[in-house]
Amino acid sequence: MLQYDNSAFYFFAMSILSFYLLPSWYYILSSVYQVYTIRDETIGAVARTSAEKEKAERLKKDSKRSLLTSRGFLWNLGITIALTALFIWLVVSVSADGQVNSFDPYKILEIDLGADNKAIKKAYRKLSLLYHPDKNPGDRAAEAKFVMVSKAYEALTDETARENYEKFGNPDGRQNMQVSIGLPAFLLDASNKNLVLVGYLIFMVGIIPYGVYTYYSDSSQYGEKNVMYDTYAWFHYALSEHTLMKALPEIFAGSAEFRKRNKPTTAEQKQSIAKQTAVVKQHMLKPKYLHPVCVKGNVLMHSHLLRQTSSLTASDASDLKFMLQHATELIDAMISVCKSLDAAQTAVHCIEFGQYVTQALWVKDSPLLQLPHYGPEEVKHCENKNGKKGPKVSTIEQYMAQEEEERKGMATFTDEQKADVRNYLKYIYPDVSVTAKIFTEDDEDDKVYEGDVCTIRVSIARNQWDADDSRHKQQGDLVHAPLFPFPKREAWWVILAQIKEGKIMSIEKVSATRGRNPKTGVVHHDIKLMAPPKGRYEFDLVVKSNGYVGADKKLRISLETLDNSTLPEYKIHPEDAELDDEPTLFEQMLNDHVEQDSDDEDDDDDKGDKDDDNDDDDKDDEKKKLVDGGDQQQSAAVTTVSSQKVNKKRAQLRNARNDDDDDDDDDDEVEDVTPNK
């Protein structure tokens, strides 16, 4: 009889726990190993200039802390340790409790091996009275124990049962296998039934539904690029083709990701935001949304853009860091919304807003502030705002075009700082050239005809690329942004649009390193476009950096499409035409089926004709019998009428089949409709 077996439960529980513990401990140990052995390039903790050293050290520290102190890692570690302790207890219990239950009558009767009959009967009487069902009504464990005691007594007193036990280990004889239920025996204890029922209800009705609800509610809030659906709805509401650049920080601050964290809850938090507002207010537009979340996020973003974060409290600085952590994907979401709204100029503003956020600059700041160690005073020297003679430099391209001796602003720099500037201009800042080529594939000429699928191949080449210098590959992957607290990979936004008309044909983000030619440093990007109707069209091709201010390029592309009616008529080869005329397998099967149905109908018609003729003959015979010596002409007339009826019926059947064939032919005809261009 099957019984609840503690030992079997121990083995079963250890097997189940091992499915979780083995991969969990592997994940924990590999994570710890990764923290202490991970390469700096992997986490973006690369200091290419002394200005990035502080950021690189902070990234190393934060990466270790974030991995080993994250909520998911700590929860998993706690659960794994608890389950490991349970696993160890199970191992100890198995070693103490022995193997999975086998039938041992001496152990069941609680007597020593080799006990005499007197001791056996005494133990049996004692245990049978103790576990008798009449004394334990409703106790399944006691009932099972009573049965086992009876079998044990029988195995030790009945000769046949004893012989079976000695030979096969069971009083019932040879057994194919020994089976027991791998659950703890306390589940059958009557005193524990309420506890078992409550535990079952809590697990099945409480824990499992709550886990499913939590997972579904969390996952259903996020859409593409791990951005919340409420954020997309907010961007669709707030963005338009007339949105100004200075309004973007406020719109960005209203993202759903920040609504819980950026809501001031205490008077101290409100006071700190009011104090910081006074610092940045003169550079802000008049707020359009007065919700506390938007107001706080707007002030924090302006504090970062204006490089006024030193006056922030520790709590506000932490909230700003949280906003910047999500800045890349949220700005990408803003750009995708602009694409769906066909707001070309606003999309350009959003890309530039991403540049400003990365470099901690704002609309009136000089791009020269991106240079390592450059501040407002150094920029004044470069722009000749102090009244000294010399060329005026306002962009990094102009600064790069100067000889090293002519470059201003480094009078007080150390040799290390000057080397940082040289390294930045030669290896880091993306001085690029952009070219575009329009072509169609599989065409004999270079002309574009209406309806063709044409390709615009955009080539982005670094002008300072040197294939023999490995520092180009090592230092050009990350955006140089000492004031942006997170690593950012260099990329380019490639936009094909008619900006004045507000139309966007294509806008895509292209990695600056993926697919780059290692010899030339050129990155290619193809834009597929359906050729418009006949005419000449002008497009704006804009290539904008995702992290540098002033590195953008803009081209004007002309596309002339010709009338496709001037193309030579396409002639089908006779063999191809014959293949087109051949019926398909489906058509062959359909025709065979139709022919079979037609043959069956013809057979039915012939059979009907014969029956009609026989009936007519019978009628004629009867008439001959009834009219003795009747008129032969009257009989011939009746026969003629009957034949006409049969022929008429046949003609109707043939016409019906011909009509069906005509309908099939009509259905097979396909009208050739050319889309109106």
Side-chain angles (χ1 to χ4, degrees):
M1 177 179 179
L2 292 178
Q3 58 178 322
Y4 280 44
D5 187 356
N6 286 332
S7 298
F9 169 71
Y10 297 153
F11 283 105
F12 174 74
M14 286 190 297
S15 302
I16 296 299
L17 289 177
S18 63
F19 284 107
Y20 179 83
L21 291 177
L22 290 178
S24 180
W25 275 118
Y26 174 79
Y27 167 74
I28 293 171
L29 296 177
S30 61
S31 299
V32 174
Y33 175 79
Q34 184 181 8
V35 165
Y36 293 99
T37 60
I38 192 171
R39 297 178 58 189
D40 295 340
E41 294 80 2
T42 305
I43 58 176
V46 179
R48 297 163 293 180
T49 64
S50 58
E52 287 187 315
K53 286 183 179 180
E54 182 180 354
K55 176 182 177 180
E57 292 297 328
R58 187 171 61 251
L59 284 173
K60 292 179 185 178
K61 184 178 179 180
D62 291 346
S63 64
K64 296 179 181 179
R65 183 189 307 168
S66 62
L67 182 60
L68 298 182
T69 61
S70 63
R71 182 181 300 178
F73 181 84
L74 293 178
W75 269 102
N76 180 61
L77 179 63
I79 294 173
T80 303
I81 292 175
L83 294 180
T84 301
L86 177 61
F87 188 87
I88 294 173
W89 178 79
L90 291 173
V91 171
V92 174
S93 300
V94 167
S95 61
D97 203 19
Q99 299 178 351
V100 178
N101 263 358
S102 58
F103 185 81
D104 187 351
Y106 294 100
K107 185 177 180 180
I108 295 173
L109 294 175
E110 301 177 359
I111 57 178
D112 296 332
L113 186 66
D116 56 8
N117 289 334
K118 183 178 179 180
I120 294 173
K121 292 180 179 179
K122 182 179 179 180
Y124 171 70
R125 284 195 296 269
K126 175 184 175 181
L127 295 177
S128 61
L129 291 174
L130 179 63
Y131 296 109
H132 197 279
D134 294 340
K135 292 187 176 182
N136 302 277
D139 190 345
R140 296 180 59 189
E143 182 182 352
K145 186 69 175 178
F146 178 79
V147 173
M148 295 302 297
V149 168
S150 300
K151 291 185 64 175
Y153 176 73
E154 181 184 4
L156 297 178
T157 56
D158 183 82
E159 293 298 331
T160 304
R162 186 166 191 153
E163 183 180 357
N164 289 334
Y165 168 70
E166 292 175 352
K167 288 183 178 180
F168 308 110
N170 194 293
D172 296 330
R174 183 188 296 276
Q175 302 292 310
N176 294 329
M177 73 172 97
Q178 295 180 0
V179 180
S180 58
I181 301 176
L183 292 175
F186 76 86
L187 295 177
L188 293 177
D189 193 346
S191 61
N192 297 330
K193 62 181 181 180
N194 293 331
L195 179 63
V196 172
L197 180 61
V198 171
Y200 175 81
L201 290 176
I202 291 175
F203 184 75
M204 297 299 295
V205 182
I207 295 177
I208 292 181
Y210 177 76
V212 173
Y213 168 77
T214 302
Y215 171 78
Y216 176 76
S217 61
D218 291 343
S219 61
S220 62
Q221 294 179 359
Y222 291 88
E224 296 181 359
K225 302 177 182 178
N226 203 28
V227 176
M228 298 180 70
Y229 287 112
D230 290 345
T231 299
Y232 279 108
W234 164 251
F235 288 159
H236 273 280
Y237 168 77
L239 292 171
S240 68
E241 59 181 357
H242 303 297
T243 302
L244 300 177
M245 169 69 73
K246 288 190 174 182
L248 294 180
E250 185 179 20
I251 297 174
F252 174 81
S255 301
E257 284 79 357
F258 310 142
R259 293 174 186 173
K260 291 183 179 180
R261 184 164 184 141
N262 282 356
K263 185 177 182 179
T265 56
T266 63
E268 183 181 355
Q269 292 177 348
K270 296 178 182 179
Q271 186 178 359
S272 65
I273 291 299
K275 182 180 178 181
Q276 188 65 22
T277 302
V279 178
V280 300
K281 185 175 182 180
Q282 60 179 344
H283 300 281
M284 296 171 55
L285 283 180
K286 183 179 179 180
K288 184 178 179 181
Y289 309 101
L290 299 180
H291 193 279
V293 173
C294 293
V295 173
K296 179 180 178 179
N298 193 13
V299 171
L300 293 180
M301 287 304 299
H302 276 89
S303 300
H304 170 71
L305 296 171
L306 299 171
R307 302 189 178 187
Q308 299 291 336
T309 56
S310 58
S311 57
L312 292 175
T313 63
S315 176
D316 291 339
S318 177
D319 294 339
L320 173 60
K321 185 177 180 181
F322 179 79
M323 295 180 69
L324 296 177
Q325 183 179 4
H326 294 82
T328 300
E329 58 263 25
L330 290 178
I331 293 175
D332 289 355
M334 295 171 69
I335 296 170
S336 65
V337 170
C338 292
K339 180 180 178 182
S340 64
L341 296 175
D342 222 9
Q345 189 60 55
T346 306
V348 172
H349 288 335
C350 291
I351 297 173
E352 293 174 352
F353 176 65
Q355 299 173 358
Y356 290 135
V357 171
T358 304
Q359 296 297 334
L361 299 176
W362 201 215
V363 290
K364 293 184 178 181
D365 292 330
S366 171
L368 296 175
L369 290 173
Q370 299 173 99
L371 293 170
H373 315 295
Y374 266 64
E377 291 298 325
E378 288 77 16
V379 172
K380 287 181 181 179
H381 286 287
C382 295
E383 295 180 346
N384 274 338
K385 291 185 178 181
N386 51 10
K388 293 184 179 180
K389 296 182 180 180
K392 180 180 178 180
V393 177
S394 58
T395 65
I396 293 184
E397 288 187 357
Q398 295 173 352
Y399 191 84
M400 294 176 64
Q402 289 183 322
E403 297 293 335
E404 187 173 348
E405 297 79 10
E406 299 176 355
R407 293 170 182 169
K408 297 180 180 181
M410 295 187 290
T412 59
F413 283 10
T414 63
D415 291 339
E416 182 184 15
Q417 292 174 333
K418 292 179 181 179
D420 289 341
V421 175
R422 289 194 298 269
N423 185 59
Y424 177 84
L425 296 175
K426 185 174 182 180
Y427 299 109
I428 301 176
Y429 185 80
D431 179 23
V432 298
S433 299
V434 178
T435 58
K437 178 184 178 182
I438 303 176
F439 62 91
T440 56
E441 298 179 358
D442 301 331
D443 274 358
E444 298 179 356
D445 53 23
D446 296 333
K447 297 179 181 179
V448 179
Y449 295 90
E450 176 185 351
D452 284 349
V453 178
C454 56
T455 302
I456 302 177
R457 175 161 295 172
V458 182
S459 301
I460 307 172
R462 275 183 173 263
N463 296 329
Q464 68 267 57
W465 183 266
D466 186 357
D468 299 329
D469 194 341
S470 60
R471 285 177 290 183
H472 281 292
K473 303 175 184 178
Q474 298 173 356
Q475 302 190 29
D477 296 345
L478 293 171
V479 176
H480 186 275
L483 299 179
F484 189 75
F486 301 98
K488 188 170 185 177
R489 299 291 175 182
E490 184 180 323
W492 296 93
W493 285 98
V494 181
I495 308 171
L496 182 68
Q498 293 175 329
I499 296 179
K500 290 184 178 180
E501 292 79 2
K503 296 180 180 180
I504 299 177
M505 285 69 186
S506 173
I507 176 169
E508 296 183 47
K509 193 176 184 180
V510 181
S511 172
T513 57
R514 189 178 304 167
R516 181 173 60 190
N517 190 318
K519 294 183 178 180
T520 62
V522 179
V523 176
H524 297 291
H525 175 66
D526 291 345
I527 302 174
K528 300 294 184 180
L529 181 68
M530 180 70 71
K534 178 183 178 182
R536 185 175 183 84
Y537 301 87
E538 298 289 335
F539 300 99
D540 296 311
L541 178 64
V542 183
V543 178
K544 302 185 77 66
S545 172
N546 72 324
Y548 292 101
V549 178
D552 309 331
K553 301 295 179 182
K554 184 176 181 180
L555 300 178
R556 193 73 174 166
I557 296 180
S558 299
L559 175 63
E560 183 177 1
T561 58
L562 303 177
D563 189 359
N564 55 14
S565 62
T566 60
L567 292 172
E569 183 180 357
Y570 179 75
K571 296 183 179 180
I572 302 177
H573 194 275
E575 295 182 357
D576 295 335
E578 293 177 359
L579 291 175
D580 292 338
D581 294 337
E582 292 183 0
T584 63
L585 178 61
F586 175 77
E587 292 174 344
Q588 291 178 359
M589 296 175 61
L590 183 62
N591 291 334
D592 294 341
H593 181 70
V594 172
E595 291 177 359
Q596 183 177 1
D597 291 343
S598 300
D599 294 339
D600 293 339
E601 291 177 358
D602 292 339
D603 293 340
D604 293 339
D605 292 342
D606 294 340
K607 185 177 180 180
D609 294 342
K610 292 180 179 179
D611 293 338
D612 292 340
D613 292 340
N614 293 331
D615 293 340
D616 293 340
D617 293 340
D618 294 338
K619 291 180 180 179
D620 293 341
D621 293 339
E622 291 178 359
K623 290 179 180 179
K624 289 179 181 179
K625 292 178 180 179
L626 292 174
V627 182
D628 185 19
D631 190 5
Q632 296 293 330
Q633 293 181 352
Q634 183 177 1
S635 177
V638 172
T639 304
T640 303
V641 171
S642 299
S643 300
Q644 290 177 352
K645 290 182 178 180
V646 171
N647 293 332
K648 184 177 181 180
K649 185 179 294 185
R650 288 182 178 179
Q652 290 177 350
L653 291 173
R654 292 192 185 95
N655 292 333
R657 287 198 297 270
N658 292 332
D659 291 340
D660 291 339
D661 294 338
D662 293 339
D663 293 338
D664 294 338
D665 294 339
D666 294 338
D667 292 338
D668 293 338
E669 292 180 0
V670 179
E671 183 179 2
D672 185 12
V673 179
T674 303
N676 189 2
K677 300 295 183 180

